[in-house]
Amino acid sequence: MLQSGLQYRVRIRAENCEGYSVWSHVAAATTAATVPASPIGLTVIGVSRTSASLTWQPPVSDGGSPVIGYQVQLQPKTKVAAAELGSDWMIIFDGEAVATTFSALQAGCQYLVRVAARNTAGQGQFCIPLQLTTAPDAPMQPPLPEGEPAATVSCKVELRKTAALSVLFMQHQTPDLCKCQV
């Protein structure tokens, strides 16, 4: 089987019951290049609340023409992310590098990413998508319940010798530490 994008040199001769002919002159022909195979080793190397960094390796086969670029696509998988970015695949990188960092992601959301290689014959197929999840946001402090007054706590403790005392109490579902004076 011939490989794409390679030059082959051939010569021929005929054979019949009388014997063999003289070899022909050498002829050279180059097979047409095809699109490259999918890149390999797509890996998330860093993720935060709103960004992610990816890296990958060139495809095993370049289709007979050097790889000239890569396209990385992202697809939101959670409702919050899809509401912000849409649910279709979108291009987030198109260039020569084998790594990229992108932002504008939503905290605590899941996404799929994939990458394809391109040469002079066109773009090859995307690799198998990789799932990534951004880091969650820190939870917000819950609001104070309406209509409830703040609690006042006092304490009196007698201690002998050296001792420390801490009292933990709940005030509107927010833990506070009360240190009583000795």
Side-chain angles (χ1 to χ4, degrees):
M1 173 183 260
L2 300 178
Q3 293 182 347
S4 301
L6 295 179
Q7 184 181 51
Y8 290 91
R9 296 174 17 164
V10 295
R11 64 183 184 157
I12 58 172
R13 71 176 179 175
E15 177 186 359
N16 64 17
C17 62
E18 297 294 319
Y20 296 99
S21 70
V22 177
W23 284 101
S24 70
H25 294 285
V26 175
T30 302
T31 56
T34 61
V35 297
S38 299
I40 57 174
L42 178 60
T43 306
V44 177
I45 56 173
V47 66
S48 72
R49 292 175 31 256
T50 60
S51 67
S53 297
L54 306 172
T55 188
W56 58 90
Q57 299 298 314
V60 174
S61 169
D62 64 7
S65 176
V67 172
I68 58 174
Y70 298 93
Q71 185 179 94
V72 179
Q73 293 185 348
L74 173 88
Q75 182 183 43
K77 295 312 289 180
T78 52
K79 289 181 183 179
V80 172
E84 185 71 23
L85 300 173
S87 60
D88 294 332
W89 287 101
M90 68 184 73
I91 299 169
I92 56 171
F93 173 80
D94 197 322
E96 297 176 10
V98 290
T100 186
T101 297
F102 49 95
S103 56
L105 302 178
Q106 298 293 311
C109 291
Q110 291 181 349
Y111 299 87
L112 291 178
V113 290
R114 63 186 184 179
V115 61
R118 182 177 57 253
N119 65 12
T120 57
Q123 182 170 294
Q125 292 189 3
F126 284 94
C127 67
I128 296 171
L130 177 69
Q131 183 173 307
L132 70 88
T133 303
T134 53
D137 261 338
M140 296 177 60
Q141 182 177 359
L144 293 175
E146 293 183 27
E148 291 186 27
T152 302
V153 176
S154 62
C155 60
K156 182 178 180 183
V157 178
E158 283 188 40
L159 298 174
R160 296 174 193 217
K161 300 197 179 191
T162 307
L165 174 68
S166 295
V167 177
L168 179 66
F169 69 95
M170 297 295 290
Q171 174 184 343
H172 298 290
Q173 301 176 355
T174 305
D176 290 321
L177 188 60
C178 173
K179 290 187 179 178
C180 297
Q181 294 183 355
V182 179

